[in-house]
Amino acid sequence: MKIPWIFHKDYDIPLPKNHRFSSSKFGDLYTLLIDSYLAKSAEVFIPNPAKDTQLTKVHTREYINKIKNGNLSTKEEKILGLPWSETLVKRSYLAVNGTYLASKLALVNGIACHLAGGTHHAHANHGSGFCVFNDLAYAAKNIISDGKCKKVLIIDCDVHQGDGTAEICKNDNNIYTCSIHASNNFPSIKVESDLDIGLDDMISDEDYLRIIQSALTTCSNKIKPDLVLYDAGVDVHKNDKLGRLNISSKCMLKRDLEVLKFFKSKNIPITTVIGGGYSSNNIELAQRHALIFHAADQIFNAKK
Ligand SMILES: [Zn+2]
């Protein structure tokens, strides 16, 4: 089978030199993947921009207009952490729909992998921590309201807590949110998810994997989802600039394999998004983000 990869060439945005967010992160990952053996068993899909009627299921009309028209205050732009530009608007409209397209494809194929996504700090009425619109909440809400799914589980393994997703989905009984993050990291004020697991800075690979396993069991006891959205953030890595944890690449691959194996064995489709990852070495960063694509290939394309 071919694993759907979702990507758009306009995901990257121009940023000032030395900005903590890489201005070529998405293109670097695409280049690495498309030149690898994984591409033989993958098919690339290109998302369309989101419609405002889809965005209002997640964000306030006022906030959407501020983004569209470039009317963020200096303070709002500072909290967002990215300079406003036409390119940023375009990317933000495309990327949320990328996760939604991936989710529709996952329902058909069992798996689909977005080469972006995981913008979990975006709240209903403001952006935060490099996140303009919340793709996880957007995909979950829209796929349910379009009648393609009844229940969605969001598992967020980015090192930062999924505060925006928790806030947007808090009163939605059809969406279960789980965040496994570093307690001492951003955001300083956490928003309560359905399940939050705060990790100590010095957690070992073994303890981390044990916690992931137990979180998977807890989640599947709480909700029987038709779809899982998995944020495979790589900012848990020991060399991540913003991470604080000490997790190895080998352990991150094991984590991704465990998550995919767990839901595949239950026949529950899974959408993966890349989540956070920060390094001044663009190649290393792309290699870390590529791990989830290796995991998907191993679990879904393994020779029988
Ligand atoms: Zn993060």
Side-chain angles (χ1 to χ4, degrees):
M1 94 171 226
K2 297 254 185 197
I3 296 180
W5 288 354
I6 295 80
F7 176 73
H8 197 292
K9 62 174 177 41
D10 293 333
Y11 278 171
D12 282 320
I13 49 167
L15 287 169
K17 228 183 160 185
N18 298 326
H19 195 282
R20 284 180 298 175
F21 200 98
S22 158
S23 61
S24 62
K25 164 167 162 144
F26 305 104
D28 291 342
L29 176 62
Y30 179 75
T31 306
L32 181 81
L33 289 172
I34 214 73
D35 291 342
S36 77
Y37 71 92
L38 296 173
K40 282 202 289 290
S41 42
E43 184 176 355
V44 178
F45 292 83
I46 300 163
N48 294 315
K51 297 192 181 83
D52 285 352
T53 50
Q54 293 172 297
L55 275 174
T56 51
K57 296 199 171 71
V58 177
H59 295 287
T60 62
R61 178 76 63 183
E62 192 191 358
Y63 175 56
I64 297 167
N65 286 339
K66 272 187 195 171
I67 290 295
K68 264 208 317 207
N69 304 324
N71 290 336
L72 295 176
S73 67
T74 313
K75 191 180 164 199
E76 286 168 327
E77 198 175 78
K78 195 164 172 240
I79 294 170
L80 172 60
L82 296 170
W84 184 91
S85 64
E86 296 276 356
T87 348
L88 178 67
V89 179
K90 190 171 184 194
R91 189 276 285 296
S92 305
Y93 271 78
L94 287 169
V96 283
N97 236 11
T99 299
Y100 181 48
L101 173 61
S103 300
K104 286 193 283 188
L105 291 164
L107 291 178
V108 177
N109 294 275
I111 176 92
C113 303
H114 193 192
L115 280 78
T119 44
H120 59 172
H121 299 307
H123 286 60
N125 63 0
H126 70 95
S128 170
F130 313 137
C131 303
V132 177
F133 297 140
N134 192 310
D135 65 308
L136 296 162
Y138 174 94
K141 295 256 183 196
N142 277 288
I143 207 144
I144 290 171
S145 78
D146 288 349
K148 294 181 174 71
C149 267
K150 288 199 171 69
K151 290 189 185 292
V152 176
L153 166 61
I154 301 174
I155 297 202
D156 186 341
C157 287
D158 188 285
V159 82
H160 304 101
Q161 201 239 355
D163 55 342
T165 317
E167 185 241 357
I168 295 168
C169 301
K170 68 174 180 277
N171 294 322
D172 194 327
N173 293 329
N174 297 318
I175 303 172
Y176 190 88
T177 54
C178 165
S179 175
I180 304 159
H181 51 265
S183 297
N184 296 326
N185 213 320
F186 178 89
S188 54
I189 300 165
K190 316 283 192 261
V191 178
E192 199 181 332
S193 315
D194 291 307
L195 177 65
D196 281 299
I197 301 172
L199 307 168
D200 295 335
D201 289 356
M202 289 319 292
I203 189 167
S204 68
D205 281 2
E206 292 72 26
D207 286 345
Y208 180 65
L209 289 174
R210 215 170 294 133
I211 286 168
I212 299 287
Q213 267 298 348
S214 119
L216 293 174
T217 309
T218 307
C219 288
S220 68
N221 288 334
K222 295 284 184 191
I223 187 172
K224 300 279 169 257
D226 311 302
L227 175 71
V228 174
L229 304 181
Y230 173 46
D231 183 333
V234 298
D235 41 14
V236 294
H237 193 268
K238 58 184 174 187
N239 295 336
D240 190 89
K241 271 204 290 194
L242 308 181
R244 296 188 75 105
L245 294 188
N246 197 26
I247 304 298
S248 68
S249 297
K250 205 173 153 192
C251 175
M252 289 197 311
L253 177 63
K254 269 194 188 158
R255 172 195 74 177
D256 294 348
L257 288 167
E258 288 302 317
V259 173
L260 298 184
K261 212 189 306 171
F262 185 88
F263 293 108
K264 185 174 184 244
S265 74
K266 295 179 183 304
N267 284 321
I268 301 170
I270 183 158
T271 305
T272 72
V273 300
I274 65 168
Y278 305 91
S279 171
S280 40
N281 185 324
N282 292 340
I283 296 168
E284 268 182 32
L285 183 60
Q287 284 166 342
R288 286 177 210 156
H289 280 305
L291 291 174
I292 182 63
F293 296 82
H294 283 276
D297 189 65
Q298 282 183 40
I299 300 292
F300 286 84
N301 275 330
K303 299 252 180 328
K304 297 276 160 10

